[in-house]
Amino acid sequence: FKEYSNNPNNKDQLKCLKKKYNYLNRFNISKRTKITNCKAYIYEIFLLKHSGEVFSESEKDMICRYCIDKIKGLYKHAQALKTGYCNSQIINGFSEENTLSVCATKNTLEANEQWLTRLFKELNNRFPRIELKEKIMIISSKKNTLKGNATHCKNMNDAWSYFRKKNDFKIVFICSNKTRIQDIFEMAFCFLNLNDEIRKDIRILHDEAHNTREGVPPFRYIIENILRLPNVLSYMPITASLGDIA
């Protein structure tokens, strides 16, 4: 990939690269493409010719089970107390040391007003003396403090101005588009390189997980790579839709 990037007119190099790593065919690769964003599904890694030299069949099974066990799906029909259950999981996370709940939701966060209103009410009842904006962060290109209840960050650079030092954040709301889902991966990965005092474990809640534009289907390859990280404790896809969402 590096050789192709340095010689963008040499299409043969790109063809050889895609022949060796078939999963790259689904990406529109150009000289501006970040190879770190071109991730394979776990099973695609196992299909590579040299993977048999690295992983035994039992090790492959162990890796798959390790990721699968982190998936804690919430599959309930509409008006079946999904919001209350999600809030209880987030609130329980307050008692977990150095743990961050990351909530991936629709691009228009206002569409989740019911979720947010109930969460703020329950947090105020449970922790009446805390400043919510010191516990809740929202990462969004459009400024939104959730009616003064959250600290707004325009992008991950802004977020890291808080995360790289001692902080009390327990919840991050983030849009469920490709850029932000990729941000979750990079956030979790970067936390691994911090000292113990500010390192975070991650629990992820992904609303409307069935959505073909912002749910699991278009970003499964990123989500699988998120699951393999050791500090990702759980991933909760949330949906009211029946059927396969993967």
Side-chain angles (χ1 to χ4, degrees):
F1 184 84
K2 183 177 181 180
E3 292 176 0
Y4 170 74
S5 298
N6 292 334
N7 301 279
N9 295 320
N10 190 344
K11 301 299 181 183
D12 288 338
Q13 289 184 356
L14 179 59
K15 288 179 181 179
C16 291
L17 189 68
K18 288 186 174 182
K19 186 175 181 180
K20 184 176 182 180
Y21 303 105
N22 290 333
Y23 69 88
L24 292 175
N25 284 299
R26 67 170 173 271
F27 298 101
N28 184 21
I29 294 177
S30 71
K31 62 182 179 181
R32 296 182 179 85
T33 300
K34 293 182 179 180
I35 192 62
T36 54
N37 293 346
C38 299
K39 298 178 176 62
Y41 298 122
I42 290 175
Y43 81 88
E44 288 176 323
I45 296 174
F46 294 156
L47 290 176
L48 295 175
K49 292 181 179 179
H50 61 273
S51 69
E53 302 172 5
V54 180
F55 304 110
S56 68
E57 290 302 316
S58 62
E59 287 172 332
K60 291 177 182 179
D61 183 68
M62 187 184 303
I63 291 169
C64 290
R65 179 55 54 189
Y66 172 78
C67 294
I68 291 170
D69 286 346
K70 292 184 180 183
I71 302 173
K72 312 295 183 183
L74 179 56
Y75 315 116
K76 287 183 175 291
H77 60 76
Q79 306 303 319
L81 304 179
K82 288 196 303 296
T83 300
Y85 184 79
C86 290
N87 288 350
S88 69
Q89 295 300 299
I90 293 172
I91 292 171
N92 288 342
F94 268 60
S95 62
E96 292 185 292
E97 188 176 355
N98 294 333
T99 300
L100 195 65
S101 294
V102 180
C103 307
T105 184
K106 294 177 182 177
N107 266 325
T108 307
L109 285 165
E110 289 82 356
N112 291 273
E113 184 175 357
Q114 180 189 24
W115 183 359
L116 300 177
T117 300
R118 287 184 59 179
L119 176 61
F120 298 155
K121 183 178 179 180
E122 291 175 34
L123 285 172
N124 280 322
N125 289 337
R126 186 79 67 90
F127 308 101
R129 297 181 180 180
I130 69 170
E131 282 283 343
L132 290 184
K133 65 181 181 180
E134 295 179 2
K135 300 287 187 180
I136 302 173
M137 177 186 292
I138 176 172
I139 303 174
S140 173
S141 55
K142 179 182 177 182
K143 187 170 183 178
N144 186 348
T145 63
L146 303 178
K147 299 181 180 179
N149 290 295
T151 295
H152 172 258
C153 293
K154 185 177 181 180
N155 50 42
M156 283 306 301
N157 285 336
D158 285 351
W160 276 109
S161 68
Y162 295 97
F163 289 146
R164 67 170 59 99
K165 57 188 178 183
K166 186 67 175 177
N167 65 85
D168 294 320
F169 287 106
K170 300 297 292 184
I171 309 170
V172 173
F173 281 98
I174 198 165
C175 295
S176 53
N177 57 43
K178 182 177 181 179
T179 298
R180 298 308 178 202
I181 298 297
Q182 180 69 34
D183 283 344
I184 294 176
F185 173 81
E186 294 178 2
M187 180 195 305
F189 183 81
C190 289
F191 274 132
L192 293 172
N193 298 316
L194 301 180
N195 62 53
D196 292 341
E197 186 180 30
I198 55 177
R199 185 179 299 154
K200 301 281 188 181
D201 290 329
I202 307 290
R203 293 193 183 279
I204 302 165
L205 296 88
H206 194 168
D207 197 25
E208 301 290 328
H210 63 277
N211 192 290
T212 56
R213 296 182 63 184
E214 298 178 4
V216 173
F219 308 131
R220 179 181 162 189
Y221 63 96
I222 304 177
I223 292 167
E224 286 194 11
N225 281 272
I226 290 173
L227 286 169
R228 68 176 174 80
L229 296 176
N231 62 334
V232 174
L233 303 180
S234 65
Y235 169 73
M236 180 183 290
I238 306 164
T239 181
S241 298
L242 296 174
D244 187 1
I245 63 172

